[in-house]
Structure formats: C-alpha cells, structure tokens
Amino acid sequence: MAESSVQRRLAAIVMADVVGYSRLMGVDESGTLSALRERRKSILEPTVKAHDGRIVKLMGDGVLIEFASAVNAVNAAAEIQVKFAGANQDLPEVRHIVLRIGINLGDVIGEGFDIFGDGVNIAARLEALADPGGVCISGKVLDEVRGKTDVTFDDLGERNLKNIAGSVRAFAMTSARQPMEPSPEVSAKPSIAVLPFDNMSGDAERVYFSDGITEDIITELSRFRSLFVIARNSSFQYRGKSIDVRRVAKELGVRYVVEGSVRTMANRIRITAQLIDAANGNHLWSERFDRDAAQLFDVQDEVTRTIVATLTGRVEDAEMRTAASRRTDSLQAYDCLLRGIKNLRGYGTDDNRLALDLFEKAVALDPRFALAQSYLGMALIVANGYHNAPDAIKERAITCALTAVRLEPGDGRCHQFLGQAYRFRDNLDMAIQHLERGAALNPSDANGIAQLGAMLSIYGRADEGINLLQQAIKLDPFHPDWYWLGLGTAYYATQRYDDALATNRKVAGDKRPWHRARVAACLARLGRMEEARAEATEVLRLKPEFRISVELPHYKNSADAENVREGMMMAGLPD
C-alpha cells in the first residue's frame, strides 16, 4: 500500500465534544447513540458543508472539523450551537445534548484525511475551556474574524494550556444579538415592528425629529394589550440599511412591519406611513399626511389608531383615549425633548450635560409637559453618577418624576422614570410599585419590563424577575447589555449558577469591574476556582480599590446579598 502524502497547511480547526457524554450513555446508551447520529445527519454535516468545512473525523463523543477560513469556522460553530439548543427545547433536560466547541487557527500536518499538530491540540484545549453550549476561540482566530462576523467575544485573558508551550489568549464567543440566538417565534397576538421613519427634510441633523416621531408611535402602540410591539432598540437596528421586509420580520419575530418618512417644511410637515404584511408582502394600508406642524400629534394618533384598527379589527377606545393624552402645546418644547433624548442616549463627553440642558429648557417652555419632567429627573441621575449622585440631586429627580406622574398618571414612561428615581434613592418598595404600574400601562415596553425584572431580582422575587427579563428579551431581540446583567443577577439569586455565568458572558460591551466580579462569583460557586481567581485578579487590576462591601447592590433580603458576597470572597475579592 502506498504511503499517504504528508502536507503542512494553515487551517481553522474546530474541536467539539458532548458535555456529560458518560452520564448520557449511562442513562440510555442506545438512545444517546441514536440521537447523536440524528444530530450529525440533520445539523452537523449540513452546517459544516454550508460553510465550506470538512469533518475530519468523529471520536466517540467528539468531532474534529477543518475550515480554510476562520470566519467560516466561527459562523459555523455559532450556527451549530443555535441548532443544537433548538433541538433540545422539546426534550427533558436529562436528554439534552450540549456541545463545547474550541476553535484555533494554526499550522496543521495533513496525512491522508487526518490532521495533526499543535494547531489541533490548541483547539482541543480551548474546547475544554468553553462553557456548555459555548465556544472558545484563540486570539489568532479573533484577529482574523474581527469586523467580519456579527458574533461578539469576551476576553478570558492569557491561558496556560496543558502540554502547550507558552500561553494562549482565549476568548469566549457571545452573541446576544446575532447567530447564537435563534430567531424569535412570532407572537400569537398581532405582532408588529415600526422601522425608523426616513428623514426627508434635507438636513441630516433633523434625524432626531423623525426618530422621535417613530418612537412616539412605538410607545403609543405598546399600550395596546392586543398587540405585540417590538421595542425601539431592535427596530432601529435597521436604520439606513437596505430593507428586506420579510427578513426583518423573521429576525424580529413579527408578522407586520411599518415603514414611513418625515419631511419638515417651514411650518408644514409631511408624514407618510405604510403597514405591510411581511408574510406575503402586501400593503395593508398606506397614507400621506400634509398638515400644519401644530397638528403633528393628531397625525401620530391617527397613524396609531389606523394600525390598531387594521390589525385587531377594532379600535380599543379606552386605551386610545389614554394614548391621546395631553403632550404639550409647545412644538419648541417637544423639539427640545427629542434633541435631549438623542443626547441622553449618546456616549460623547458632553452628551449628558447637553441632554440635561435641553430637558431643563423643555420644562421651562412648558412646565406641564409631563414627559419632559420625567426625562429631566432621569437626566439628573445619569449626569451625576446614578447611585453616586448627591442626595439633593436625587431628591430633585424624584420631585420632577412625581410632577410628571401627577400630570400624566396614565403614561407608563412617567411611572417608569419615577421608579428609577426611587431605586437610586434606595427606596425599593416605591421603585417596585411604580415600575409595576409602568409595565401595566405599557405592556409591550421592553425597557420598562426589563427594569422591573431587574429590580425584582434584588427584591427577593428573582423567579418573577427571570420571567419578565425573558419577556423583555423577546420584545427586544437587539436589546442592550444591561438586560443580560439583570438576568444574570436573577439566575444567581436563584442559585442557577451555570445559567448566571452563561448569561453574564453574553455581555458584548466593555466588561466593568463589577461585572467581572459577578463572573468570578459564578465560577467560584461552580467550583472552577482557577478561572474564578483569574477573573478576580483582573477585577483588581482594573480597579485596585475594589471592595465588595462598597460595590454590592442594596438587596431587599440579606441572604441574597450574603450569597453574592460569599461567592466573590471565594474567588479572592476583598470585602
């Protein structure tokens, strides 16, 4: 027999194995083998092929895969994990088949169909570092895929891997918004996403105005319990992109999509809007409104009323009367509000100060403008360091928010902001009361629901918090990272440390010391002490003065606070 040729080449190597394989085999050997064969045929092989990969060999509970492209390897691994999670949904937990995956980019020796070398060995060691259902990649892979994939990564630091010379920088794959999360299911209610209305005014600086009108329509629609309304944060992900309505509907889990445009001309305003059934592309309704600028709110109400009537077959009069509650008679105050909101969501050095100035101006122009009072209260807290704000600032924020609620008791956002003001004053009882009222008034307001869920997580009602945060994530698939932080806190409070760790690692943005400290506590509770201590070391590198007693949130129950403190101390963080 002729010897197989030996070749060296650069390859992206994927190593995967089944978590708890021995346990699964012990429970049901034949059933486990049958399930693994089915997963290989229905998920593994077609996904690898679709991303131009090659299955090198199967190894009992593991598989070795080779790709010519690191981008293809990362995208395939993300898709495989999503599909395995989906296949587990209808099975009892004891029969879940869960993978760990490691990916490395390196030189391999090809011999026949097999491959060998340090590149393969490093992939195997990275796989062992991955969380169940997760993916761990090397720094070389990250360098190749940065900016070329929608997946995000959590830096795990330099790791010394068994039988590997030198350290390897490792990264855990997280994808709060993209391939690691399956497309949401369409709600049983009429489900709708309002995409950002195009700014047709010829002035790019006026985009805040078209955004504000869009957001107001979303807010008013979210009052209707008969509708499932996707949050602003998710629908605005499509701003400026070429829109395929069917793709957008699938990604957001909705049946209907609203598109529109806004043009301002001196004292005139033109708004166009169209309601599309994404299932077949049919336009159910479209209209153009040419009105005096002073009639802006009437147009918004008419758009909302028509959408509700079209989707539900009736207008819910009582809720529409609430939706049409008084805003302001001053368009200048409304303009200041919208510009302030834009700045409050910014990350520039002066954004918070500019937002505060604009909200102050809006309130001065119309002291009875409830929403401006609410945003002023929130901006006072944000611009002065949240919990670290001086007591006088916190008291003024509460006064502003109370004024807003008195002016508009039926506006969920006013109750939501009052709840936040009470939270930062450590009045948890009042915070919960108003957050619950806000969520009841706006049952599709993802932020309000998530804020309530996060509060319940430190209030001794973590199980309720988990349900609400999961509901908010469904309403806002492209949600901000703080949703994950709230959910991680809730999982930890219920001692679901695996879930808490996995959720905290989905945070895509900068990892602050307190967040890393929570990850360290999760790892310590799971007995992964080497990783816990490494995370604690990073916390103290970032913030040498870190002390648990200073950073610990105000929990309603002392036992919940002690659970967090103990976990962090086990990891090596100072009290």
Side-chain angles (χ1 to χ4, degrees):
M1 181 183 294
E3 292 187 1
S4 302
S5 61
V6 176
Q7 298 179 333
R8 285 187 177 273
R9 59 180 177 271
L10 186 67
I13 309 105
V14 174
M15 186 74 77
D17 81 344
V18 178
V19 177
Y21 178 73
S22 298
R23 176 187 59 78
L24 289 167
M25 291 291 283
V27 172
D28 182 2
E29 182 175 337
S30 62
T32 297
L33 292 174
S34 175
L36 286 173
R37 283 193 296 270
E38 191 278 328
R39 296 282 178 97
R40 186 175 73 243
K41 292 294 184 183
S42 65
I43 297 177
L44 191 65
E45 291 176 357
T47 303
V48 170
K49 182 178 180 180
H51 292 276
D52 299 321
R54 176 178 77 91
I55 295 178
V56 178
K57 60 183 176 182
L58 301 170
M59 303 165 291
D61 63 339
V63 61
L64 175 61
I65 310 169
E66 179 185 9
F67 293 86
S69 158
V71 174
N72 285 4
V74 167
N75 287 337
E79 187 174 333
I80 287 167
Q81 291 291 40
V82 167
K83 290 180 176 178
F84 264 65
N88 287 332
Q89 284 184 348
D90 295 328
L91 298 175
E93 189 170 351
V94 293
R95 293 180 57 198
H96 283 191
I97 297 177
V98 179
L99 300 181
R100 286 190 179 93
I101 297 179
I103 308 177
N104 183 42
L105 181 68
D107 193 50
V108 299
I109 300 170
E111 185 173 346
F113 288 104
D114 210 348
I115 55 176
F116 305 93
D118 273 354
V120 176
N121 295 336
I122 290 172
R125 301 305 182 202
L126 290 169
E127 172 265 303
L129 288 179
D131 288 324
V135 182
C136 190
I137 68 173
S138 66
K140 289 182 179 179
V141 174
L142 181 64
D143 290 340
E144 287 297 314
V145 306
R146 198 190 306 271
K148 301 174 186 175
T149 178
D150 292 322
V151 183
T152 54
F153 306 90
D154 183 9
D155 189 350
L156 302 181
E158 296 286 341
R159 295 301 177 96
N160 294 313
L161 306 179
K162 185 177 180 181
N163 298 329
I164 301 296
S167 62
V168 174
R169 196 162 191 90
F171 296 83
M173 185 189 301
T174 62
S175 188
R177 305 174 175 85
Q178 298 289 348
M180 293 286 283
E181 295 293 327
S183 297
E185 296 179 1
V186 176
S187 170
K189 298 178 180 179
S191 51
I192 188 167
V194 183
L195 301 183
F197 280 26
D198 293 329
N199 169 35
M200 306 295 289
S201 300
D203 179 0
E205 292 298 316
R206 295 288 291 174
V207 71
Y208 74 87
F209 192 75
S210 54
D211 283 358
I213 289 173
T214 310
E215 185 169 354
D216 277 352
I217 292 171
I218 292 171
T219 299
E220 302 311 327
L221 286 173
S222 72
R223 299 176 188 272
F224 292 87
R225 289 165 178 78
S226 56
L227 299 180
F228 176 90
V229 184
I230 286 293
R232 171 207 183 276
N233 189 67
S234 286
S235 61
F236 272 56
Q237 295 290 324
Y238 300 94
R239 187 223 301 277
K241 297 180 181 178
S242 178
I243 297 299
D244 177 340
V245 169
R246 296 190 186 194
R247 179 179 66 83
V248 169
K250 181 179 179 182
E251 290 179 356
L252 295 180
V254 297
R255 172 71 182 268
Y256 304 99
V257 173
V258 176
E259 294 181 311
S261 65
V262 178
R263 183 191 298 273
T264 54
M265 305 159 286
N267 293 324
R268 301 286 294 176
I269 186 166
R270 173 179 293 170
I271 296 178
T272 64
Q274 54 185 355
L275 174 65
I276 304 167
D277 184 341
N280 52 33
N282 289 341
H283 286 62
L284 302 179
W285 165 78
S286 63
E287 187 64 81
R288 187 178 79 179
F289 303 88
D290 284 301
R291 303 285 175 83
D292 289 335
Q295 296 176 289
L296 170 63
F297 300 134
D298 293 335
V299 173
Q300 289 177 341
D301 290 340
E302 187 171 344
V303 171
T304 303
R305 185 182 299 111
T306 305
I307 291 170
V308 174
T310 303
L311 295 187
T312 67
R314 59 190 173 86
V315 176
E316 300 177 24
D317 293 331
E319 295 207 50
M320 182 52 74
R321 282 195 296 273
T322 302
S325 58
R326 181 183 183 276
R327 296 180 177 95
T328 177
D329 293 327
S330 170
L331 286 176
Q332 190 178 357
Y334 181 67
D335 189 80
C336 287
L337 174 73
L338 297 186
R339 287 191 287 138
I341 291 171
K342 177 188 174 184
N343 281 287
L344 192 63
R345 291 185 175 133
Y347 293 95
T349 305
D350 295 325
D351 277 333
N352 288 336
R353 179 186 58 78
L354 289 170
L356 190 56
D357 290 346
L358 285 161
F359 296 141
E360 294 271 22
K361 186 175 180 181
V363 169
L365 287 164
D366 184 357
R368 296 187 59 77
F369 189 6
L371 200 54
Q373 291 277 8
S374 282
Y375 269 105
L376 174 57
M378 196 67 236
L380 286 165
I381 294 290
V382 172
N384 288 280
Y386 297 94
H387 269 297
N388 295 324
D391 286 346
I393 292 291
K394 292 178 181 177
E395 288 303 325
R396 188 184 172 208
I398 290 174
T399 298
C400 290
L402 280 169
T403 299
V405 167
R406 282 195 292 267
L407 288 168
E408 289 292 354
D411 191 317
R413 288 169 295 178
C414 294
H415 286 279
Q416 180 189 136
F417 289 152
L418 179 54
Q420 287 293 297
Y422 277 127
R423 172 194 173 193
F424 292 113
R425 199 72 174 95
D426 285 331
N427 188 336
L428 301 189
D429 292 329
M430 292 300 292
I432 291 289
Q433 177 182 320
H434 285 282
L435 288 172
E436 286 181 331
R437 180 59 180 154
L441 287 166
N442 283 58
S444 287
D445 183 351
N447 276 348
I449 292 168
Q451 287 170 1
L452 175 58
M455 275 297 302
L456 292 175
S457 300
I458 62 173
Y459 195 74
R461 294 162 58 184
D463 286 321
E464 295 175 66
I466 290 169
N467 291 334
L468 287 169
L469 283 156
Q470 290 173 338
Q471 179 185 341
I473 287 168
K474 187 176 180 181
L475 284 165
D476 192 354
F478 292 85
H479 56 82
D481 280 342
W482 64 265
Y483 283 35
W484 292 129
L485 296 175
L487 187 56
T489 298
Y491 279 139
Y492 191 98
T494 57
Q495 300 185 22
R496 293 168 59 176
Y497 302 122
D498 273 317
D499 289 330
L501 177 62
T503 301
N504 274 304
R505 281 189 163 166
K506 288 182 179 181
V507 174
D510 291 337
K511 310 301 187 297
R512 300 191 179 190
W514 173 252
H515 173 232
R516 288 186 177 274
R518 289 198 279 190
V519 171
C522 293
L523 290 165
R525 289 296 190 186
L526 291 169
R528 296 162 60 174
M529 298 309 300
E530 183 178 348
E531 296 171 77
R533 293 189 184 102
E535 201 69 55
T537 298
E538 183 65 11
V539 171
L540 295 174
R541 184 188 72 79
L542 293 169
K543 190 173 184 178
E545 71 277 14
F546 182 94
R547 294 295 182 272
I548 300 170
S549 56
V550 175
E551 304 284 346
L552 194 66
H554 182 177
Y555 280 82
K556 177 74 170 179
N557 298 330
S558 60
D560 289 335
E562 190 59 29
N563 185 25
V564 177
R565 178 181 284 106
E566 286 180 1
M568 292 183 180
M569 292 181 69
M570 288 166 61
L573 288 166
D575 192 32

